[in-house]
Amino acid sequence: MNLPEPPSSGPEPPSARLRASDADRDQVADRLREALAEGRITPEEHAERIDAVYRAKTYADLEPVLHDLPGAAGAPGPSAPAAAPKVSLDKDAAPPPVAQSPTMVAVFSGAVRKGRWLAEPHTNITCVFGGVELDFREAVLSQREITLNISCLFGGVDITVPPGVRVVNSGNAVFGGHDIVGDDTADPEAPVIRLTGLVLFGGVSVKRREAGGTRADRRRERHELHHRLREQRHALHEEHHALREEHRQLRDARRDHLRAMRDQRRRRA
């Protein structure tokens, strides 16, 4: 990997040898994603630098990653004070994203992820007679393309994405469906959320909305979510009733067929 070399500024201070924390690495990775979105670095450079970030052990290891990007003066390194070894990329920088498990399970229950959280490269979602809500409007993607592998049985998954994020559906559905919002960008370097897996007697809904919003907007979102969940429960009830009726008809037809065969054997005898 060829990272930019920072200019020599004399002997390395002791603070540069301090150990970097996970929060420090997350803030540097966040700045690299911004640089990728701004076109300052290529996807290949971004991948190389992200690898270097999560291998870094000290502030000195992190400094070359941001050296040639705007705002590098606040990057970790020789200027970091020994008493407070914390990365500060910007005075108004957002807090580091909260790391989450790469697995979500909702069985006869619900699961929600929203706010500022770190989306792993692959997240497995299991939904059985339950509901899952994922809000990516303030989330930080660990890489340009992430994958949501959804296994949904008699349940629903609601996903909210911000403008500029592409959603690619590569999943399958049986007695269910995917309601996917259309792309609003033609940028080939736009972040991508790819959906895979199987939906059986359930549904996946993706909508696009701006981050933030008023209290009334949030109330409306909750109302819409509850309305969709009620509709899904009603549809699941109807499908379950239809399956029971079909099973009953098949059972009656099989019984009639066996009775006809017995009557035929008796007549032959």
Side-chain angles (χ1 to χ4, degrees), residues 34-96:
E34 292 176 1
L36 175 63
E38 294 166 356
R40 300 183 188 276
I41 58 177
T42 66
E44 292 76 15
E45 291 172 329
H46 176 265
E48 291 180 353
R49 297 190 190 202
I50 283 290
D51 289 341
V53 166
Y54 288 106
R55 285 200 307 267
K57 296 181 179 180
T58 66
Y59 289 107
D61 296 334
L62 290 173
E63 183 184 7
V65 178
L66 296 177
H67 170 67
D68 59 348
L69 297 176
S79 60
K86 184 178 179 180
V87 177
S88 177
L89 300 177
D90 196 318
K91 292 181 179 179
D92 301 322

Side-chain angles (χ1 to χ4, degrees), residues 113 117 133-139 141 146 148 158-168 179-185 191-195 204-212 221:
R113 281 187 186 172
W117 57 283
E133 180 183 355
L134 290 168
D135 191 336
F136 285 92
R137 286 177 292 179
E138 298 180 37
L141 305 187
I146 67 168
L148 303 179
D158 288 290
I159 302 172
T160 304
V161 299
V165 175
R166 295 174 56 207
V167 179
V168 179
D179 183 11
I180 308 298
V181 67
D183 290 340
D184 66 343
T185 178
V192 175
I193 298 176
R194 183 175 299 276
L195 308 180
V204 176
S205 173
V206 180
K207 60 180 178 292
R208 190 184 311 279
R209 286 185 179 166
E210 293 278 359
E221 289 180 9

Side-chain angles (χ1 to χ4, degrees), residues 87-141:
V87 177
S88 177
L89 300 177
D90 196 318
K91 292 181 179 179
D92 301 322
V98 179
Q100 299 286 350
S101 168
T103 301
M104 293 184 70
V105 179
V107 180
F108 290 97
S109 62
V112 178
R113 281 187 186 172
K114 59 183 178 180
R116 187 168 173 80
W117 57 283
L118 181 65
E120 298 293 335
H122 290 82
T123 299
N124 295 311
I125 301 170
T126 301
C127 179
V128 181
F129 289 96
V132 173
E133 180 183 355
L134 290 168
D135 191 336
F136 285 92
R137 286 177 292 179
E138 298 180 37
V140 176
L141 305 187

